Amino acid sequence: MVRNLKLLYLIPALVTLAMIIYGVVASSVNTSDNLRDSSEVAHSRRVLVALQETIGCMLDLETGQRGFIITGDEDYLKPYESAVRKLDSPVAALTDLTRGDPSQQHKIGMIQEVVSQRKKSMAHTIEIRRNEGLAAAVADVQRTGGKDQMDRIRQLIDEMRDEEVARIDLSLHKLAENLKRTNLTVTIAGFVAIGSGVTGVLLLLLFLSASGREQQQRLQKEKAEDADRAKSDFLAMMSHEIRTPMNAILGFGELLHDMVETPQQKHFSAAILSSGNSLLSLINDILDLSKIEAGKLDLHPEVVLMEQFAENIETLFSFRAAEKGLHYSIRIDPTVPPMLSFDALRLRQVLVNLVGNAIKFCREGSVTVVLHTEPVTDGDRVMLHIDVADTGIGIPEEQVSEIFRPFYQIDSRQGRQFQGTGLGLSISRRLVEAMDGTIVVESVLGKGSLFRVALPTGVSQQAEERFAAAQVTDGVAVDFDRLKPSKILVADDVPLNRDLIRSYLAGSRHQIIEAEDGEQAVRLCFKHRPDLVLMDIRMPALDGREALAQLRSREETRHIPVIAVTASSLLNSQMELKSTFDGYADKPLNRSKLFAELAKFIAAAEPSPLAPETQEIALPAPMTAGHDWAELCAALDTLHETVWPNLVKLVPAQATMKFSARLTELAADHDCPPLSNHARQLLEAAEMMDFGKASRLLEEFPELIAAIRASHA
């Protein structure tokens, strides 16, 4: 009987052991599959990085060549030559990474062919610019079809990127399925072990089963946490690495657009800004989607002047609609109160997506936006309805329910014809739902679409005139002299970022102090006691957080407002920075964003009787008779006839500084203090990029020559 009892206990023990072995083997197989899929994801990401490096090199080629063609300055060829040297590396990496993939190898071959053609045509154009001048170079650019070549390269890279993204999605899907199977296998093994265990063996098996499940859950949790950390690190890195150069591209592009005068230069600078903003919009879309999926999207309701809100949306798209010959209008129904309370930034983002899509997919006809409200049970709240209607291509009925999915586009042909990521509508729906609203679409193929947004909002009782006077609308010229003259310390390890802020504040009454890292920023704060600090976060030696801690630890610097300026825009990072620093501004910076942040901490300036734009530049001191300056006058006349005409038209910074250096040499050789003073002022204006002052000084140059000649006579 004892023997039979042992056998009875042995059978369920063996069954349990078999199930455990099966579970371990199945888990091992699934884990192996997971590792293989993870390797494929990592491989595809390396391909994406190489693709990004390739297009970045091509853009550097284009930028350097374009700058040289426009200006003739050989310095503009430095990024071009650097890109020529670097371009082969990512292309070779792509060739190696896609080895064994005939489809991608074929695209790489076409990319290499088009890149080779583009490099040859660009080199040929550069030689023409050197030998035959600007007009011939422009004609060669138009003849060789550089835009078509770049478009072809972008198309091929986009196709490769789409294929790798699809592979990543497939691998991630397989990873999820394997995890499900692993969990199911372990669960079944546990239940069988529990059902077959008896007495002491049952207790032991229950213990082992519980331990196994706990370990598996811990492993799954760790994997999920690792994957989430990897995703967050990747997004943070990409955001920072892309936003840092975008800060310089958009910032200096804005300055360049304000400085240039010819239509062609305006066109080129506008293209830089438009392309840069498109790239920034893509980055923001991806980050917003990540925030929404993580459930970490914060809403910030504010009082909004509805007429002003509608005018901003109308102004934003009026030029694009006019270019396509569309009738574009925004109408506010009389039922809409003058002021409502909602998250204006997020609703504006929704309307930018909806109106932008309407204009993009509308070849002719009209795009109309209508705002109206209806009361709800709460007397202080109304339901805001926004209808965006267009006469565009419409949406097939069977695909209407699909357009709000991330990365979805109606079909591949439209995806090629109408460029986009397919994120706009998905983000719009999630934003509206986050604000407790709804968004629906009605569409007829070939006749147009109608998007209806319904959003609960609060009615503001604030005095409209007082509220409107406090608003700063887009498009109003920023004048930093409206703020009290202050000493501002700019801490950033990237020289271009410091140059940009210095250029924004050039010509104002504010004093700029620059620091290259956190340690230097702390030392300069102790030495100069600035009124405000613009602190970058990622810096060598001492980062922004550590520098802030040191400033807060000393009584003499504890009160100084410190604004965090960063290219990292992930939500958890934003929240931490906003709670730690006095202010927060993300890159790319522009004039309006910088002014708005400074205005929070710097008091308004006392009104002066004479605005800076109307103040006269001090004329040179009266000449002293008795100097023999005939030779000096002859040299100045030569400069006036040869160098000065081109300078006074365009006021290029580098050439103006060289011109002032030449004047300084002449003043020293002939002991002419008035000329020395004029050269010094011109050099300071050029170095500070105060082109208005530099232009006025150059215009006074003929008067200065006449004054020197009169003194000699």
Side-chain angles (χ1 to χ4, degrees):
M1 183 176 178
V2 173
R3 181 178 179 180
N4 292 336
L5 185 60
K6 291 181 178 179
L7 182 61
L8 183 63
Y9 286 141
L10 182 61
I11 292 175
L14 292 176
V15 172
T16 301
L17 179 62
M19 293 305 301
I20 292 176
I21 293 174
Y22 170 77
V24 171
V25 171
S27 298
S28 176
V29 172
N30 288 334
T31 300
S32 177
D33 292 341
N34 290 343
L35 292 174
R36 183 182 66 255
D37 292 334
S38 298
S39 176
E40 292 176 1
V41 170
H43 178 271
S44 294
R45 285 177 175 166
R46 289 196 295 271
V47 174
L48 292 176
V49 171
L51 289 171
Q52 185 63 38
E53 292 176 355
T54 302
I55 193 64
C57 288
M58 289 304 302
L59 291 175
D60 287 344
L61 285 174
E62 290 284 335
T63 302
Q65 185 218 33
R66 185 177 299 136
F68 174 72
I69 290 175
I70 294 172
T71 64
D73 189 344
E74 292 285 339
D75 288 341
Y76 282 94
L77 289 180
K78 290 181 180 179
Y80 167 84
E81 294 167 352
S82 175
V84 169
R85 293 191 298 269
K86 295 178 180 178
L87 184 57
D88 290 339
S89 178
V91 174
L94 286 171
T95 302
D96 184 65
L97 288 170
T98 58
R99 201 177 304 281
D101 187 339
S103 175
Q104 295 288 61
Q105 283 282 297
H106 178 66
K107 293 185 181 70
I108 286 296
M110 290 191 290
I111 289 175
Q112 289 175 326
E113 180 181 349
V114 180
V115 166
S116 176
Q117 294 173 357
R118 186 64 186 136
K119 288 166 62 178
K120 290 179 181 178
S121 63
M122 292 173 75
H124 183 255
T125 303
I126 290 173
E127 288 301 315
I128 290 178
R129 177 64 177 89
R130 289 193 178 114
N131 300 326
E132 300 179 28
L134 176 61
V138 172
D140 184 70
V141 170
Q142 296 173 344
R143 183 177 60 256
T144 55
K147 181 180 183 302
D148 293 337
Q149 293 174 339
M150 281 301 297
D151 289 345
R152 180 57 177 161
I153 293 173
R154 288 190 180 95
Q155 179 186 356
L156 291 170
I157 288 179
D158 286 344
E159 291 175 358
M160 292 188 65
R161 184 185 291 114
D162 291 343
E163 188 167 336
E164 294 300 330
V165 168
R167 289 177 178 174
I168 290 176
D169 291 341
L170 179 60
S171 297
L172 292 176
H173 178 72
K174 291 168 64 179
L175 278 170
E177 292 297 321
N178 283 336
L179 288 174
K180 290 179 181 178
R181 285 196 298 270
T182 301
N183 185 63
L184 180 62
T185 300
V186 172
T187 302
I188 292 174
F191 278 110
V192 172
I194 293 173
S196 62
V198 289
T199 62
V201 175
L202 176 62
L203 295 175
L204 177 61
L205 292 179
L206 286 173
F207 173 76
L208 293 176
S209 177
S211 299
R213 285 197 300 273
E214 181 180 355
Q215 181 180 6
Q216 186 65 29
Q217 290 172 356
R218 185 170 59 253
L219 289 175
Q220 291 177 0
K221 181 180 179 182
E222 290 175 355
K223 287 181 180 180
E225 291 174 348
D226 290 342
D228 186 64
R229 280 195 298 269
K231 175 184 175 182
S232 298
D233 292 343
F234 175 76
L235 288 175
M237 179 192 68
M238 292 303 296
S239 172
H240 184 273
E241 295 302 321
I242 295 176
R243 284 174 179 271
T244 296
M246 287 302 298
N247 185 50
I249 292 171
L250 293 179
F252 285 110
E254 181 183 8
L255 291 171
L256 178 64
H257 190 269
D258 292 341
M259 291 187 296
V260 298
E261 297 179 355
T262 67
Q264 185 184 46
Q265 292 169 340
K266 286 285 187 184
H267 174 72
F268 288 161
S269 60
I272 294 173
L273 290 174
S274 175
S275 300
N277 283 312
S278 296
L279 178 57
L280 183 62
S281 176
L282 171 61
I283 298 168
N284 290 335
D285 281 349
I286 295 173
L287 293 175
D288 279 341
L289 185 64
S290 175
K291 296 173 189 177
I292 295 171
E293 289 178 342
K296 297 179 179 180
L297 184 70
D298 285 339
L299 298 176
H300 302 282
E302 57 181 310
V303 177
V304 180
L305 191 62
M306 294 306 297
E307 182 177 356
Q308 188 180 92
F309 180 78
E311 286 178 357
N312 287 341
I313 298 296
E314 185 173 19
T315 302
L316 187 63
F317 292 100
S318 58
F319 179 74
R320 193 189 308 178
E323 278 188 325
K324 299 186 69 173
L326 302 175
H327 176 70
Y328 168 55
S329 64
I330 294 183
R331 182 171 61 85
I332 302 180
D333 191 86
T335 60
V336 179
M339 291 182 294
L340 295 175
S341 176
F342 54 85
D343 191 325
L345 178 64
R346 294 304 180 184
L347 183 57
R348 184 177 186 272
Q349 185 177 357
V350 171
L351 292 182
V352 165
N353 284 328
L354 296 182
V355 178
N357 279 348
I359 293 177
K360 178 168 67 173
F361 292 104
C362 191
R363 297 188 178 93
E364 59 183 3
S366 64
V367 174
T368 305
V369 182
V370 178
L371 289 77
H372 60 97
T373 57
E374 63 178 4
V376 294
T377 53
D378 189 345
D380 293 334
R381 297 185 67 78
V382 295
M383 185 66 70
L384 174 63
H385 295 275
I386 305 175
D387 299 339
V388 180
D390 66 76
T391 58
I393 62 175
I395 305 169
E397 182 179 355
E398 65 275 8
Q399 297 186 10
V400 168
S401 60
E402 302 293 324
I403 61 174
F404 291 105
R405 288 197 294 109
F407 305 103
Y408 180 82
Q409 291 181 330
I410 293 177
D411 59 46
S412 59
R413 289 172 297 175
Q414 289 187 5
R416 290 190 294 269
Q417 183 178 0
F418 302 102
Q419 294 297 320
T421 62
L423 285 174
L425 289 178
S426 174
I427 291 175
S428 296
R429 185 182 68 175
R430 299 189 189 198
L431 287 175
V432 170
E433 291 175 348
M435 293 185 283
D436 297 325
T438 60
I439 180 171
V440 295
V441 58
E442 302 171 9
S443 184
V444 177
L445 187 62
K447 293 186 178 181
S449 303
L450 171 62
F451 285 82
R452 297 183 182 273
V453 177
L455 194 70
T457 61
V459 179
S460 174
Q461 304 300 327
Q462 188 173 348
E464 182 177 348
E465 295 80 4
R466 181 179 176 185
F467 177 80
Q471 301 304 297
V472 178
T473 60
D474 293 339
V476 175
V478 172
D479 181 7
F480 289 99
D481 282 336
R482 290 165 54 192
L483 304 176
K484 181 180 178 181
S486 304
K487 189 185 300 181
I488 300 173
L489 188 146
V490 181
D492 200 308
D493 61 312
V494 180
L496 280 177
N497 292 338
R498 302 196 304 273
D499 291 345
L500 177 62
I501 296 176
R502 186 175 64 247
S503 300
Y504 280 152
L505 296 169
S508 69
R509 294 174 292 176
H510 303 288
Q511 179 185 351
I512 303 300
I513 305 171
E514 298 183 30
E516 297 179 353
D517 54 45
E519 287 184 352
Q520 188 179 21
V522 172
R523 290 197 304 270
L524 291 175
C525 282
F526 292 152
K527 180 178 179 181
H528 297 285
R529 307 291 170 81
D531 300 298
L532 182 140
V533 178
L534 295 171
M535 183 78 73
D536 185 37
I537 301 304
R538 294 190 179 187
M539 292 186 292
L542 200 68
D543 66 20
R545 293 179 178 85
E546 295 167 336
L548 176 68
Q550 292 195 15
L551 293 177
R552 293 288 186 263
S553 66
R554 299 280 290 270
E555 185 63 33
E556 58 268 31
T557 57
R558 182 176 300 170
H559 67 283
I560 300 176
V562 181
I563 299 175
V565 182
T566 178
S568 299
S569 61
L570 290 182
L571 184 66
N572 55 352
S573 176
Q574 286 186 27
M575 296 175 64
E576 183 262 330
L577 292 175
K578 289 178 181 178
S579 63
T580 305
F581 287 78
D582 299 294
Y584 173 86
D586 59 347
K587 298 175 183 176
L589 279 176
N590 55 38
R591 282 193 183 95
S592 299
K593 187 185 296 184
L594 179 61
F595 179 85
E597 201 61 33
L598 294 181
K600 296 177 182 178
F601 304 97
I602 301 177
E606 293 293 332
S608 60
L610 185 63
E613 292 78 7
T614 62
Q615 293 175 353
E616 297 292 337
I617 297 176
L619 293 174
M623 301 296 173
T624 302
H627 288 83
D628 185 8
W629 284 334
E631 182 180 349
L632 173 61
C633 290
L636 294 177
D637 286 337
T638 301
L639 290 175
H640 180 255
E641 294 172 359
T642 57
V643 180
W644 179 82
N646 291 328
L647 287 182
V648 78
K649 290 180 181 178
L650 301 176
V651 197
Q654 294 295 330
T656 302
M657 286 189 282
K658 291 180 181 178
F659 183 73
S660 65
R662 177 57 181 155
L663 295 184
T664 301
E665 293 176 1
L666 291 173
D669 293 342
H670 297 86
D671 189 21
C672 183
L675 180 61
S676 176
N677 180 58
H678 186 84
R680 178 183 56 78
Q681 293 185 50
L682 183 60
L683 178 62
E684 290 176 354
E687 287 179 339
M688 293 299 294
M689 295 188 182
D690 188 348
F691 297 104
K693 181 177 179 181
S695 177
R696 292 192 291 274
L697 287 167
L698 286 171
E699 290 174 354
E700 292 174 4
F701 184 60
E703 299 177 11
L704 178 65
I705 298 176
I708 294 175
R709 181 174 284 109
S711 176
H712 169 67

